[in-house]
Amino acid sequence: MRLTMISYAQNDVLAGSLDGQKAFADLLQDTKISAEPEVYFLDFASIDVATTSFLRDSVVAYRNHARSTWHSIYPVCANLSPHVYEEFHSFLTSRGDAFVICSLDSEERIDNVEIIGKVDGKQAVALRGVLDLGEVDAQSLRAHMRENVAPTAWNNRLGALVAKGILIEIGSGRNKRYRPVLEGLCYGT
């Protein structure tokens, strides 16, 4: 599903907390919940600038709400201008948060998939393991990473990455598997 951010704006600048809160409410209204995991692309095409306060109160608030309430919705930002990229990356890094971004064309082809912001410590270790393997459960990740850490700790790390919308959780109960939210996801070097 693609939600175009220009439709939540008066012009090509997304600014201010109040406009961000309004966009958040509109994003919620435009979301249709499915039973299966679904990526929602927040498309920034035609947006030149977005302020931190707007991004915080719309995009990040939407991601946090989606991940804590709906569980099947995975927001990803698409087509960020250089100004929006810089503002969003700086904001996310300053608060130790991360977001998946990509390029998305009119044919729904996805390219340039990456994580901006910062994934800290043990979550970064878990993320690198998932990126190496593609789809994992906590036990196979533990074996791959060769760290003497209980599967519960791996599940906690993976769960934190799911909460950020970086990984998709598949299955339920004790049989959870995890994979990147988009194919070709890259993080760091």
Side-chain angles (χ1 to χ4, degrees):
M1 171 66 82
R2 184 190 299 231
L3 300 172
T4 57
M5 296 305 292
I6 194 76
S7 65
Y8 305 108
Q10 304 299 321
N11 53 44
D12 64 348
V13 175
L14 300 173
S17 180
L18 291 177
D19 285 348
Q21 291 170 27
K22 182 180 180 330
F24 169 68
D26 292 342
L27 286 165
L28 294 179
Q29 205 165 29
D30 292 342
T31 302
K32 297 178 181 31
I33 310 307
S34 66
E36 295 300 313
E38 184 175 6
V39 174
Y40 265 63
F41 293 99
L42 307 180
D43 188 353
F44 279 77
S46 304
I47 299 295
D48 187 43
V49 175
T51 65
T52 295
S53 58
F54 181 90
L55 293 166
R56 178 193 63 228
D57 291 340
S58 62
V59 173
V60 174
Y62 178 74
R63 187 265 324 257
N64 292 345
H65 180 82
R67 296 306 319 124
S68 67
T69 305
W70 297 323
H71 303 294
S72 63
I73 304 298
Y74 292 85
V76 169
C77 288
N79 303 321
L80 301 181
S81 73
H83 293 112
V84 175
Y85 180 100
E86 179 183 2
E87 188 77 13
F88 200 25
H89 180 63
S90 176
F91 167 64
L92 291 167
T93 301
S94 73
R95 56 183 276 169
D97 199 354
F99 216 99
V100 175
I101 66 166
C102 68
S103 298
L104 184 67
D105 70 15
S106 60
E107 304 290 318
E108 303 293 322
R109 289 184 295 244
I110 301 164
D111 197 17
N112 303 315
V113 182
E114 66 176 290
I115 298 170
I116 62 170
K118 186 174 186 179
V119 179
D120 283 325
K122 298 300 184 179
Q123 289 178 24
V125 172
L127 175 60
R128 292 195 195 291
V130 174
L131 294 177
D132 287 348
L133 299 173
E135 185 176 310
V136 299
D137 60 13
Q139 194 66 28
S140 59
L141 182 60
R142 178 181 183 219
H144 174 73
M145 300 308 290
R146 299 180 186 180
E147 280 191 33
N148 192 18
V149 178
T152 303
W154 287 109
N155 274 324
N156 292 341
R157 296 170 189 176
L158 294 165
L161 294 168
V162 168
K164 290 180 179 178
I166 296 171
L167 300 180
I168 289 180
E169 183 179 273
I170 304 161
S172 60
R174 298 178 61 93
N175 299 320
K176 293 179 184 172
R177 296 190 58 78
Y178 304 87
R179 67 174 171 81
V181 70
L182 293 177
E183 197 172 303
L185 182 65
C186 296
Y187 180 66
T189 54

